[in-house]
Amino acid sequence: MDNILLNLLIGVPLITIAFIFLGLLYHGIDRKISARMQWREGPPIVQPFYDVRKLLTKKNLVPENAVTWIFNSAPIIAIVASILAVLYIPIGSMNPVLEGYGDLIIVVYLLAAPPLAMAIGGFASGAPFASLGSQREITVMMSYELPLAIVVATVAYIVGGETAFSLATIADANIWSLVGPIGIVGLILLLAVMIVVSPAKLAKVPFDISKAKTEVSGGTLSEYSGRNLALFYIADGVKTVAIIALLVAIFFPWNLSPILGVTGAIAIAVDFVFFLIKVLILMAIIVTFVRTAFARIKIDQFSRNFIGLVSTLALLGLILVMVGA
């Protein structure tokens, strides 16, 4: 009991600080890579840190027609949920701080909380653009949650047993080794589904429908400023790392330490650095490349394609995995 309490007292603050730092750092790297892809210089990598510092010094404005306590609570819920999600995800060869049964289900729910909080905050602002953005956010969530749920159910089916939903168990099991050739094809389809769902869940271009500045003036965030906007900005960074880290834990769980033959603290450090590299590479492919290469799609196109095509691919992947398991 004492060891568990000590682990929480040390692990929770360390992971929280580390992932807030990583979330902002990866934001800066994302912007720099995107700028280079467009033959621009782009802002410095540390620009997100400057942005947050400036926002924290600004006055926190609340619209006159807003439901104040809901409006101010939404960014707090977003950042707390994002940080809690990270605490359930294995990092390199380290088990999650909040390891336990049902980890994957809890993470899925926690990652749904930030966009939901953003939508509620938009409605609570009483502003037309924010309300319209919130309506779009809810519609988008209803579209991408179905294929995500199919992927989660398929992964649990592959692992099986009492700890089928434990992310630590999933990472240790390596789902690629638990299926045959047909099942591997199914897993490739599920990976493709997650690659499409991830930027949609992060509301990045071409799926930033709820925050489209050229259409709804920032949508859900149009009335936020100061500390509240800073909290949403930090939550977005942490959520980005959390979603990519979840993808790594499920589909790319391999570590370098067994290959290099190192153990102890050196193995933990090596695997942690390798984990950061995997997250960075996936972020560059899934988030940076996609948002730089594609233009925003319409909300009807989004719903039609995700409920239809993407969900169909997820179901096909599930069927292939069941056949090839």
Side-chain angles (χ1 to χ4, degrees), residues 245-260:
L246 178 64
L247 203 61
V248 168
I250 295 174
F251 293 100
F252 306 99
W254 307 286
N255 291 313
L256 274 182
S257 57
I259 299 174
L260 299 177

Side-chain angles (χ1 to χ4, degrees), residues 224-240:
Y224 277 98
S225 59
R227 184 187 67 251
N228 283 338
L229 186 57
L231 290 177
F232 269 130
Y233 191 78
I234 295 171
D236 182 66
V238 176
K239 185 178 69 171
T240 299

Side-chain angles (χ1 to χ4, degrees), residues 137-169:
E137 186 67 57
I138 296 299
T139 302
V140 165
M141 288 184 65
M142 292 172 63
S143 301
Y144 65 62
E145 288 297 337
L146 175 59
L148 178 61
I150 295 172
V151 173
V152 169
T154 306
V155 171
Y157 172 81
I158 296 171
V159 176
E162 295 181 356
T163 58
F165 287 99
S166 169
L167 274 170
T169 302

Side-chain angles (χ1 to χ4, degrees), residues 19-48:
F19 273 82
I20 288 176
F21 174 81
L22 287 173
L24 295 177
L25 179 64
Y26 280 163
H27 254 320
I29 296 174
D30 167 55
R31 292 170 66 178
K32 177 63 76 173
I33 295 174
S34 178
R36 292 296 188 181
M37 290 176 65
Q38 297 172 343
W39 297 95
R40 296 186 290 109
E41 179 65 26
I45 292 176
V46 294
Q47 185 62 47

Side-chain angles (χ1 to χ4, degrees), residues 31-32 44 55 82 84 99 105 111-112 136 146 158 182 193 214 239 244 279 303-304 306 315:
R31 292 170 66 178
K32 177 63 76 173
L55 286 171
S82 299
L84 282 174
E99 181 181 1
I105 295 177
L111 291 178
R136 290 184 173 193
L146 175 59
I158 296 171
I182 297 177
V193 168
T214 55
K239 185 178 69 171
I244 304 299
V279 170
S303 298
R304 183 170 61 250
F306 270 77
L315 285 172

Side-chain angles (χ1 to χ4, degrees), residues 63 65-66 122-133 219 222-223:
N65 297 326
F123 283 128
S125 71
F129 281 132
S131 296
L132 181 57
S222 60
E223 297 300 320

Side-chain angles (χ1 to χ4, degrees), residues 73-127:
S73 298
I76 298 174
I77 294 172
I79 192 169
V80 169
S82 299
I83 292 171
L84 282 174
V86 170
L87 298 177
Y88 281 99
I89 300 175
I91 303 168
S93 55
M94 295 182 289
N95 286 334
V97 176
L98 299 180
E99 181 181 1
Y101 296 154
D103 294 353
L104 185 54
I105 295 177
I106 294 174
V107 169
V108 170
Y109 274 105
L110 288 172
L111 291 178
L116 187 59
M118 194 180 299
I120 293 173
F123 283 128
S125 71

Side-chain angles (χ1 to χ4, degrees), residues 47-68:
Q47 185 62 47
F49 295 93
Y50 298 149
D51 294 339
V52 169
R53 185 181 64 180
K54 182 177 73 174
L55 286 171
L56 290 174
T57 63
K58 295 288 185 178
K59 187 176 180 180
N60 206 39
L61 300 176
V62 179
E64 184 178 346
N65 297 326
V67 182
T68 304

